[in-house]
Amino acid sequence: MNKEEPLGKKPLSVLEKIRDNLERLNEKMEVMIELQKHGRKDAMQPLADTPLDVMTLLSMPDHLRKTAMTICRCGRATAEEISEQTTRARAVESAYLNQLVIMGYLKKQRKGRKAYFYADRETQG
Amino acid sequence: MSKIIAVHSYKGGTGKTLLSVNLATTLAKQGKKVCLFDLDFRAPSLFAILNLSNSECWLNDYLNGTCDINKVLIDMSSKVPGSCKFFVGFANPATEAIRDMSAKDRKWEMRALGRLLSLRNSLLNDNGFDYIVFDTSPGLQYSSINAIVTADFVIVATTSDRSDVDGTRRMLRELYNLFEKKTGLVINKVLDAASISKRQEMDKRIREVYQVPMLGVVPCFCDVLRAEGGLIFVRDKPDHPFTKILDEMARKIDRNEIS
């Protein structure tokens, strides 16, 4: 039996899974921290797909509107790409984007290690 | 720099369409590739001003997702002097189409916003347009707010009418500020515009009441009223003071000198 087997593919995939889970946990923590900061516990209730129309944008708190408008302009983007446009920290944008996903305004899709956010205009309605 | 400009107002009759058509034409005369869109779906008027008899595809069809934007655009370059590139996307003036557009729901409006936003890629980036000008409907209509969100720069047309002044002030504070839009104000139909005291009073009012940069002041020209919408002033009256004012506005926008 090869002595190096414990360091082969299986442990590596386990480590990758742990890392991905930690990243997801981190995202959830960021959302919870932001919700605590803004006192919007009601926003944690997941909603059905809600159209991200201009009247909805108008009714949003300022910090979320900025993120939502940027994603509307970009179409589909990562938290990193949004943060480059809003000049706010990536972690902050990640929290706001995940909050918008929970609120039902955005969809999230993972591709490898990257998470892409978008307003699903075609399936909503 | 390529730009999307929306021309909007709080009340109707402030001269949005007059400004839109003449600004788009002025930019085209200055060598820019320009596209003018009629987003006033409740009272379409560009087809009458530009004498369009019929169109295979309307802007309504593009927003409904049933037609490509290239089929909507009509080449009106021959209507502008020189070798200009001037295209127009018309709103369908048929009563049935107006009724249909008035009954759209929030989800449709969300998709319409997506289609307006995608014009930046399809027209400015891929088709080499320098400017897109949106002529909108007055007030807080969905189509107008979609246009404002899409635009890089919004021209707000207003008059000295008291209800217009009050409504415009609230609209700037409660709508434009929320969207953080770059805005320029045009005061239209100004009486005694040549008077220095009137100018000073107006400058003071604009600073105090509106708190946004001024793009221009357009006096109340009898010639404009007499034309009854039958002339494109900047094309048909190149030496008219109105044309000079529009030239100056277009230059300010192109050089990004609004402050």
Side-chain angles (χ1 to χ4, degrees), chain A residues 34 38 52 57 60-83 85-101 105-106 117-119 121, chain B residues 178 180:
Chain A
E34 285 304 320
H38 295 281
L52 189 56
L57 285 170
M60 279 181 182
D62 292 348
H63 65 286
L64 287 183
R65 187 186 311 110
K66 193 166 189 170
T67 304
M69 279 189 63
T70 310
I71 202 90
C72 278
R73 276 196 298 269
C74 295
R76 182 184 173 91
T78 63
E80 180 83 43
E81 288 161 347
I82 296 295
S83 73
Q85 300 214 16
T86 61
T87 65
R88 297 191 292 206
R90 190 210 65 84
V92 170
E93 288 304 343
S94 173
Y96 295 164
L97 286 162
N98 281 297
Q99 194 173 332
L100 290 166
V101 172
Y105 296 125
L106 297 184
F117 297 86
Y118 60 100
R121 295 196 175 93
Chain B
L178 294 185
E180 298 175 9

Side-chain angles (χ1 to χ4, degrees), chain B residues 24-57:
Chain B
T25 309
T26 302
L27 287 164
K29 270 170 62 186
Q30 290 177 359
K32 309 293 178 194
K33 188 174 178 183
V34 181
C35 185
L36 172 64
F37 283 113
D38 191 351
L39 281 177
D40 192 350
F41 296 107
R42 289 177 183 228
S45 46
L46 286 189
F47 75 99
I49 291 170
L50 296 167
N51 296 320
L52 181 82
S53 51
N54 202 5
S55 177
E56 190 189 335
C57 282

